[in-house]
Amino acid sequence: ILVDKVVISQAPDALVDSLAESLRVKEGREYSGGQDWLVRSNLREELTSKGYLEADVDVEHGAPRRDGDHYLVNLLVSVKAGPQYRISAIIADGGPLLQGMDLSSLFTEKTGDIAGLGPFGRLAGQIRALYWHSGYADVDIQGPPVLNHERALVSYHLQVAPGPLYHLRNLTIHNLNAEQESKARELLDMKPGDVFDEMAVNGLYHKISADPSMDR
């Protein structure tokens, strides 16, 4: 069974062409009902990136029809876009390590913009790395959208809950000889009693793989 045409209904006029273009790759390909969820997921992501934060997508197929030695079906995509949201406010509180710092220059969207997938860009990941490096292994960073349905506005407030400060209690290394273990400890550059650095642990794998003395 092959997909003949992708038929899109109920989508906003301004989005029909872009949605059709993203789905055109499905035409002529083998149809699988198990892939419908991926079509829904991809279209929801595209709609969200254009401000339709409450969009929903239904995917069905038309009746199969024989065409030579195979069957054809149309993929029927129904879009319930909902309102297009704009950003009414966006702020970020970096927590105790960034107390009082203005982080707005790192935002990828600003007040008044059509809402997209992520107004904070890479900021949350950068803040997480900072806290992990500083011993806060349980840091929690949240900035979910708060929707004003009546006015089609969304606000964002990034907040950081650092959690407890961790120190390294002990360090045990397995499956290395004495020379390699000594080198691994040197590369880690963290000893018992030090502030626990999650980023150092993650980086150790790359350092070991790049060090010729560890490859034997």
Side-chain angles (χ1 to χ4, degrees):
I1 300 177
L2 302 178
V3 175
D4 185 19
K5 299 293 183 182
V6 177
V7 181
I8 301 173
S9 62
Q10 301 183 51
D13 292 342
L15 293 182
V16 171
D17 288 345
S18 65
L19 294 179
E21 182 64 28
S22 66
L23 290 172
R24 194 162 287 125
V25 295
K26 299 293 183 182
E27 297 180 354
R29 301 284 185 87
E30 185 176 347
Y31 172 77
S32 170
Q35 296 177 5
D36 289 354
W37 70 269
L38 183 59
V39 173
R40 280 192 293 269
S41 177
N42 289 344
L43 287 186
R44 283 174 183 158
E45 184 172 334
E46 183 173 349
L47 288 161
T48 298
S49 73
K50 293 177 169 62
Y52 296 93
L53 304 186
E54 297 179 290
D56 197 8
V57 178
D58 290 328
V59 180
E60 299 179 352
H61 65 81
R65 60 190 185 280
R66 192 175 186 87
D67 182 49
D69 59 354
H70 54 261
Y71 285 87
L72 298 176
V73 296
N74 285 338
L75 203 61
L76 309 178
V77 178
S78 175
V79 176
K80 301 176 180 126
Q84 186 179 43
Y85 281 81
R86 288 188 176 272
I87 298 175
S88 62
I90 174 171
I91 56 176
D93 173 8
L97 297 184
L98 298 170
Q99 190 71 41
M101 184 175 293
D102 182 4
L103 302 173
S104 60
S105 64
L106 301 175
F107 300 165
T108 55
E109 297 170 11
K110 62 184 184 297
T111 299
D113 285 350
I114 292 173
L117 287 174
F120 298 110
R122 299 172 58 189
L123 179 60
Q126 293 169 333
I127 291 176
R128 188 180 307 280
L130 171 66
Y131 276 84
W132 279 354
H133 177 67
S134 303
Y136 295 94
D138 290 338
V139 63
D140 184 46
I141 302 172
Q142 300 287 339
V146 178
L147 304 183
N148 180 328
H149 303 280
E150 293 182 357
R151 301 180 62 191
L153 295 174
V154 56
S155 62
Y156 300 91
H157 183 187
L158 189 74
Q159 300 181 75
V160 177
L165 176 64
Y166 284 87
H167 290 78
L168 182 64
R169 181 175 181 181
N170 55 59
L171 175 62
T172 303
I173 300 177
H174 297 286
N175 302 322
L176 296 179
N177 61 39
E179 181 182 350
Q180 290 174 325
E181 179 176 335
S182 177
K183 183 63 176 179
R185 290 176 181 272
E186 177 187 335
L187 292 173
L188 180 62
D189 194 26
M190 182 169 51
K191 61 185 183 299
D194 287 351
V195 168
F196 177 69
D197 184 353
E198 182 79 30
M199 299 303 293
V201 175
N202 294 340
L204 180 61
Y205 299 103
H206 301 288
K207 290 180 181 178
I208 287 177
S209 63
D211 193 307
S213 68
M214 305 297 289
D215 186 23
R216 52 189 168 124

